[in-house]
Amino acid sequence: NGVALDENGNLANPYIVHAPGTHTEGLAPAMKVRIDKLATRYYELTGNQLKITSGSRTMAEQQALYEKYGAGQAASPNPNAPHIAGMAIDIDPGQANWLAQNGILEECGLTRPLLNWGSSGGTDEPWHIEIAEWRENNRDTEYVMTLTE
């Protein structure tokens, strides 16, 4: 798929800045391709690097977030949680807003499904980016893992 990865399997795109402790090796292959394209497009249009603040997570990492923030603020640790399933990353909210407003998220096959999550008792998450087909197909992780771009 032509995506550059470092020795640990993380995205190595020069237009991506990873926050400390952020890793992307556990992302679905199609998610890696789409984030790679997103970062490159963002750089082409703005001259700025994409800031990833959270990537793929282990069950233990998700458990720690759940314990720290609670049910209204963090997903419970289960294999189908977006970050554990490799279907989601978090980015700088200002960048996420710009990318959405300019159609770049959609162009890259990505979506922000938690913008109105607050209406159900949680918190809006403008920074949360997911692979579009995942929720469109009832969180069918097995199906999305077959996608290559």
Side-chain angles (χ1 to χ4, degrees):
N1 57 24
V3 176
L5 303 175
D6 68 14
E7 64 279 358
N8 297 315
N10 290 298
L11 288 167
N13 185 316
Y15 308 128
I16 293 175
V17 175
H18 298 269
T22 297
H23 44 101
T24 54
E25 79 281 356
L27 294 177
M31 187 66 169
K32 288 182 181 183
V33 170
R34 293 172 191 202
I35 297 305
D36 189 67
K37 179 180 177 184
L38 183 73
T40 300
R41 289 287 290 133
Y42 185 66
Y43 187 82
E44 289 169 353
L45 296 167
T46 68
N48 297 310
Q49 293 174 299
L50 186 71
K51 297 176 186 139
I52 298 179
T53 57
S54 184
S56 53
R57 297 180 191 148
T58 64
M59 290 284 274
E61 289 167 332
Q62 190 66 42
Q63 179 68 39
L65 289 171
Y66 188 74
E67 289 172 4
K68 181 176 181 179
Y69 295 109
Q73 306 269 332
S76 62
N78 69 72
N80 219 25
H83 290 271
I84 294 171
M87 302 299 155
I89 65 165
D90 295 337
I91 65 172
D92 175 86
Q95 290 181 339
N97 290 336
W98 190 93
L99 288 159
Q101 290 161 0
N102 288 280
I104 310 303
L105 286 179
E106 187 175 296
E107 175 187 316
C108 294
L110 299 165
T111 186
R112 297 195 297 172
L114 302 182
L115 282 179
N116 299 311
W117 189 40
S119 62
S120 64
T123 309
D124 291 333
E125 290 195 20
W127 54 81
H128 182 90
I129 307 294
E130 287 184 14
I131 195 163
E133 290 91 337
W134 192 57
R135 285 195 195 247
E136 290 168 6
N137 290 281
N138 300 312
R139 293 181 160 195
D140 187 343
T141 300
E142 198 172 311
Y143 160 70
V144 174
M145 291 301 254
T146 68
L147 300 175
T148 56
E149 55 183 60

